[in-house]
Amino acid sequence: MSMLFSPLTLRSITFRNRIFVSPMCQYSSHNGLPTDWHLVHLGSRAVGGAGLVMVEATAISPEGRISPDDSGIWSDAHAEAFVPITRFIREQGAVPGIQLAHAGRKGSCSLPWLGGGPLGMGACGWQPLAPSAVPFDVGHPVPRAITLDELDEIEAQFRAAAHRALAAGFQVVELHMAHGYLLHEFLSPLVNQRGDDYGGSLENRLRFPLRVARGVRQEWPKELPLFVRISATDWAAGGWDIDQSVLLARQLKELGVDLMDCSSGFAVPDEPVPFGPGFQVPFAARVRAEAGIASGAVGFITEPAQAEQIVATGQADVVLLGRQMLRDPYWPLHAAKALRVEIPWPNQYLRAN
């Protein structure tokens, strides 16, 4: 038997296997609206056998985007535009998910293949928001520190985004608390320099991310799963770390979060990240063991036997594949063959099986 290809049930949703497609920015939206690119890109991963297909970081507001070409869900028109995509994903036997995000101080940037640098206010850009008025790096704009009234507004935008995600047909919502974006910025003492109730101590730095999680859980139906992606460590002295991540995971579990998606890094530039096969798996293992919550392992997971070992040994409940799914949208079908597991192929592709 293969644990990788065993089903997983969270609340009322049963995933056909433990292979999830990570949210990966495509920078191909028009004013936040998904395009034919998204239907083909996401749909092909569902055809390819994944258990969950997650839409990229999707902004809760226009100023919450990383770039002007990011995905968004700040209006009913955005929700409606996702309906054909979620319908197709479900028709292929996969579960459609969406990651809700606010880019914070890392917003207003150009496309990666155009350099990814910050955009000026006169070049389709905007002034980013952040917990504190501290730029991400040299040459980046100084963000405007978020006011208390704006915290209320942003929480409301996350809530509204969750409501629209349901209308769009998604069955999983993930909150983006990783990679140096807004909610991670509140968590990290390297970024959050506020002097009020939302900065300083660990309790204060947790306050706003927990508010958002609580609010979204209240909006999101009880029978549907809620995930959170974290950067388990900043890879920098004095920053956010795995011990704090475990404490966060425990509190998120109490609020009704069902799975912790454990990534790392990118709060500050030039972090000494030790990239390599499975380098983040120990974070998923610790969160799972010490917080008593389901976890997902992500990062340089490329081989079927590697993915099987991670799940079979209880280091994580699922694996989330990013780059490997970009290389091969049918990786789950190929992995099943390598592990000698019989799974159904799409009827249209049976001649190639």
Side-chain angles (χ1 to χ4, degrees), residues 176-198:
H176 201 349
M177 296 189 185
H179 300 165
Y181 299 122
L182 184 66
L183 297 181
H184 183 194
E185 292 168 12
F186 273 92
L187 295 172
S188 176
L190 299 178
V191 183
N192 185 346
Q193 299 180 12
R194 296 177 73 94
D196 59 10
D197 289 345
Y198 293 92

Side-chain angles (χ1 to χ4, degrees), residues 187-325:
L187 295 172
S188 176
L190 299 178
V191 183
N192 185 346
Q193 299 180 12
R194 296 177 73 94
D196 59 10
D197 289 345
Y198 293 92
S201 69
L202 175 60
E203 179 183 5
N204 285 357
R205 286 183 281 112
L206 292 176
R207 195 180 307 278
F208 187 62
L210 291 176
R211 266 186 61 182
V212 170
R214 184 182 299 109
V216 169
R217 182 71 269 181
Q218 290 171 355
E219 295 292 334
W220 192 236
K222 292 182 179 179
E223 66 271 17
L224 297 180
L226 175 63
F227 295 2
V228 170
R229 170 164 277 195
I230 59 168
S231 281
T233 178
D234 285 341
W235 298 112
W240 182 258
D241 59 28
I242 182 59
D243 292 333
Q244 295 173 89
S245 293
V246 169
L247 293 173
L248 171 63
R250 288 173 181 159
Q251 296 195 42
L252 288 171
K253 180 185 178 182
E254 291 178 0
L255 294 178
V257 170
D258 300 286
L259 183 141
M260 299 295 294
D261 175 0
C262 299
S263 187
S264 69
F266 304 110
V268 294
D270 303 320
E271 299 158 307
V273 182
F275 294 112
F279 76 108
Q280 296 174 146
V281 173
F283 301 137
R286 274 200 62 183
V287 166
R288 186 177 190 267
E290 298 179 25
I293 189 171
S295 73
V298 59
F300 291 81
I301 299 170
T302 59
E303 299 299 327
Q306 176 195 18
E308 175 71 34
Q309 188 265 348
I310 291 168
V311 177
T313 57
Q315 297 176 83
D317 296 272
V318 303
V319 292
L320 293 106
L321 275 61
R323 291 176 180 85
Q324 194 63 19
M325 280 293 190

Side-chain angles (χ1 to χ4, degrees), residues 20-21 33 42 118 138 153 160 164 183 186 189 199 212 216 258 277 305 330:
F20 290 4
V21 178
L33 295 165
L42 297 165
V138 176
E153 181 180 354
R164 293 191 179 103
L183 297 181
F186 273 92
V212 170
V216 169
D258 300 286
Y330 309 108

Side-chain angles (χ1 to χ4, degrees), residues 48-67:
L52 169 74
V53 177
M54 185 87 72
V55 176
E56 65 200 79
T58 301
I60 60 167
S61 64
E63 63 272 14
R65 292 174 291 176
I66 304 167
S67 83

Side-chain angles (χ1 to χ4, degrees), residues 57-105:
T58 301
I60 60 167
S61 64
E63 63 272 14
R65 292 174 291 176
I66 304 167
S67 83
D69 297 282
D70 274 23
S71 174
I73 193 164
W74 60 79
S75 78
D76 293 344
H78 290 85
E80 185 176 343
F82 275 112
V83 170
I85 296 172
T86 60
R87 181 172 61 237
F88 185 82
I89 291 171
R90 293 172 72 167
E91 287 172 350
Q92 308 314 308
V95 174
I98 186 169
Q99 186 185 68
L100 303 182
H102 191 299
R105 70 176 185 171

